[in-house]
Amino acid sequence: MPSINISSLLLFSAVLRLLLILYGEWQDTHLEVRYTDVDYFVFSDAASLMAAGKSPFERTTYRYSPLIAFLLIPNSIIHSSWGKFLFSISDLLVGLFIHNILKLRGVPKILCTRSVMLWLFNPFTFTIGTRGNCEPIVCAMVLWIITCLMNGKLLQAAFWYGLVVHLRIYPIIYALPIILVVDPLHFRSHKKPALTQWSSCNELSAQNLCSKEVTGVYHLSVALTSIFTRERLMFGLISGAVFFIFTGFFFYLYRWEFLHEALLYHLTRTDPRHNFSVYFYYIYLLYEHEFSVLEKLISFLPQFMVQLALVFRFAQDLPFCFFVQTVAFVAFNKVITAQYFVWFFCLLPLILPWTNMKLKWEGLSSILLWIGAQTHWLMWGYLLEFKGKHVFQQLWAASLIFLAANTGVLIRFILRHRFSPLFEQFGHASSKRTTKLE
């Protein structure tokens, strides 16, 4: 592949997104099926209410932080497409952050370029922002937190983490792996942490670092006995303070309506409409029945157990841990919509340089398996929604197949991944030297 400058990639991507936004304006005007995401109209209406001094929650189905509506106030002042440009700029920032993260870890330029292109030219991801979905902002913030940690900027990482959890509650799943990697050995005063370079997993001299021994469970006893360090407490206190300051401010403005719609709703959400989740059919059948607290908690149990297992296995390899956590979180969630997939798509380019999976066989078969299971589900969803056929059981079976496909692809990624701690493992190296001396 000829050398491609990151600036050229971003410029071409920006032009592509500009054309899509313009095309979307034309399609919305001339065709029956709109290009713009329905959520964008919700954001815009909420922003108009906020600009008029009213509550954004007066717009039914607005269940986001008021920050989203605030950012889109220019929709009613400058142009209705303001938000699409904002989301698309965030989309481009994700590509830039992917490049910077991989460059910091010494990934060869050709692999960096391919990884960035996987995000920038993925049809699913470049339509998300141009259709008016806010997820690229969240993705950019998650990658910026990783960048801050890699550069030793703990206070910045804590601020943005508290803000992103307020904005979109799902990144709370990253709290434990972040706490585990914020080790005093790495975050010394005025010193940038030593990062494990990509080449170290490809040199015989570093064979022990990438061996199966190091991929073992992050020792729980060690983690718990040394959990209360200055760095970890500082990260927890600052991120928690930021979260509660923003949440408290909006609670003061909009009271319980904000707390219920923006936060509590997502914890207790039971959506009877068909979606990719295996829980949808059960919820549909019993929707008029009030679910008990125990039933709601049980639905979180598989997620909770899988999350703990993944965190204590892969926490030190932070980008990979984020990726597998997010895939598992989405796959086992009570409600799954297509926009959730972008949560792990933005992390996928960060792990590809460390995979042994070849595109020609395993990679291609994984892509076909995932797309095939999703297409199979969409076929039954089309028959139900547009043709009015009673195919709920078939759709539920398709959801089970989609869960199996997600699980199979996730396991394949784990088995083919070359474990590489984000930061150099000084303790591990010193113990090896001690063993040799003995």
Side-chain angles (χ1 to χ4, degrees):
M1 176 186 287
S3 178
I4 303 175
N5 188 280
I6 183 64
S7 300
S8 302
L9 275 178
L10 291 173
L11 179 60
F12 184 80
S13 301
V15 172
L16 173 63
R17 283 154 176 78
L18 173 62
L19 293 175
L20 284 171
I21 292 173
L22 295 176
Y23 167 76
E25 292 291 312
W26 178 88
Q27 180 174 321
D28 289 350
T29 306
H30 295 87
L31 299 182
E32 183 180 356
V33 179
R34 291 180 178 269
Y35 178 81
T36 302
D37 193 315
V38 66
D39 282 347
Y40 189 71
F41 298 110
V42 176
F43 297 152
S44 299
D45 292 344
S48 298
L49 289 167
M50 206 171 185
K54 300 178 181 179
S55 168
F57 300 103
E58 290 183 24
R59 174 51 161 100
T60 55
T61 72
Y62 183 79
R63 298 187 175 100
Y64 303 86
S65 166
L67 275 177
I68 298 293
F70 177 77
L71 291 173
L72 267 65
I73 287 178
N75 271 22
S76 54
I77 300 173
I78 301 175
H79 193 273
S80 60
S81 293
W82 163 270
K84 292 181 181 179
F85 284 102
L86 180 65
F87 299 152
S88 295
I89 290 170
S90 302
D91 182 6
L92 296 173
L93 279 176
V94 172
L96 178 63
F97 292 158
I98 289 170
H99 174 267
N100 292 343
I101 289 169
L102 295 180
K103 188 176 179 182
L104 281 172
R105 300 196 70 184
V107 175
K109 188 175 181 179
I110 188 169
L111 284 180
C112 275
T113 301
R114 289 173 179 171
S115 297
V116 172
M117 290 176 68
L118 179 65
W119 170 264
L120 291 177
F121 301 110
N122 183 333
F124 182 83
T125 57
F126 66 61
T127 55
I128 283 288
T130 57
R131 294 186 66 228
N133 193 286
C134 70
E135 299 302 340
I137 290 182
V138 180
C139 293
M141 292 172 72
V142 169
L143 294 193
W144 179 245
I145 291 164
I146 296 175
T147 304
C148 289
L149 289 172
M150 292 174 70
N151 286 303
K153 298 177 180 178
L154 195 59
L155 297 182
Q156 280 194 44
F159 171 84
W160 288 104
Y161 183 70
L163 183 58
V164 77
V165 173
H166 164 81
L167 199 66
R168 207 79 164 95
I169 199 167
Y170 87 88
I172 192 69
I173 65 174
Y174 305 142
L176 186 54
I178 290 176
I179 289 298
L180 291 178
V181 299
V182 177
D183 193 295
L185 289 174
H186 308 312
F187 291 87
R188 297 168 180 171
S189 300
H190 309 296
K191 287 187 178 180
K192 184 177 176 180
L195 303 174
T196 303
Q197 296 296 295
W198 177 83
S199 58
S200 66
C201 276
N202 297 276
E203 296 173 357
L204 291 176
S205 60
Q207 187 175 358
N208 287 328
L209 182 63
C210 303
S211 67
K212 291 184 179 179
E213 288 181 31
V214 185
T215 64
V217 176
Y218 180 82
H219 298 292
L220 183 58
S221 59
V222 176
L224 293 178
T225 54
S226 61
I227 196 74
F228 297 107
T229 63
R230 176 179 174 273
E231 290 76 14
R232 286 166 176 155
L233 288 173
M234 185 170 62
F235 183 91
L237 289 173
I238 292 174
S239 59
V242 170
F243 172 82
F244 284 112
I245 286 171
F246 277 95
T247 303
F249 175 70
F250 288 122
F251 178 76
Y252 171 77
L253 293 178
Y254 306 116
R255 298 298 172 178
W256 288 102
E257 189 178 31
F258 152 72
L259 205 61
H260 178 266
E261 297 293 340
L263 292 176
L264 299 179
Y265 170 81
H266 298 284
L267 296 176
T268 60
R269 182 180 181 183
T270 52
D271 196 338
R273 294 172 297 178
H274 59 282
N275 62 83
F276 289 102
S277 175
V278 294
Y279 293 103
F280 99 88
Y281 190 46
Y282 175 75
I283 294 172
Y284 167 76
L285 292 175
L286 301 176
Y287 186 63
E288 293 183 359
H289 163 72
E290 182 66 27
F291 290 97
S292 66
V293 175
L294 180 61
E295 286 176 307
K296 291 176 180 178
L297 290 176
I298 288 175
S299 67
F300 282 110
L301 191 59
Q303 275 185 320
F304 181 73
M305 293 174 63
V306 172
Q307 290 295 316
L308 278 184
L310 293 173
V311 167
F312 287 114
R313 182 79 174 179
F314 300 113
Q316 298 303 303
D317 191 347
L318 195 63
F320 184 71
C321 187
F322 277 15
F323 173 76
V324 293
Q325 276 187 277
T326 311
V327 173
F329 178 82
V330 172
F332 288 92
N333 205 26
K334 288 189 297 181
V335 178
I336 305 173
T337 62
Q339 71 187 51
Y340 293 0
F341 303 150
V342 77
W343 296 350
F344 54 80
F345 277 170
C346 71
L347 297 164
L348 178 60
L350 299 182
I351 70 167
L352 287 183
W354 285 269
T355 185
N356 291 321
M357 193 183 301
K358 300 298 182 183
L359 177 63
K360 187 175 180 181
W361 300 115
E362 283 188 298
L364 187 60
S365 64
S366 296
I367 294 170
L368 292 176
L369 175 63
W370 191 78
I371 293 177
Q374 187 177 162
T375 304
H376 175 246
W377 187 95
L378 290 171
M379 178 192 72
W380 293 111
Y382 171 80
L383 291 175
L384 173 66
E385 186 168 353
F386 292 98
K387 297 298 182 181
K389 295 185 180 296
H390 194 274
V391 290
F392 280 99
Q393 291 184 349
Q394 294 90 329
L395 191 61
W396 179 63
S399 295
L400 290 172
I401 293 171
F402 187 59
L403 173 62
N406 276 286
T407 305
V409 171
L410 178 61
I411 291 172
R412 185 173 288 181
F413 267 107
I414 291 173
L415 293 175
R416 295 292 179 266
H417 180 70
R418 296 196 304 273
F419 181 84
S420 178
L422 183 61
F423 303 114
E424 286 190 0
Q425 303 296 287
F426 298 109
H428 178 77
S430 62
S431 66
K432 287 287 183 182
R433 286 194 295 270
T434 304
T435 302
K436 288 182 180 179
L437 288 172
E438 290 176 352

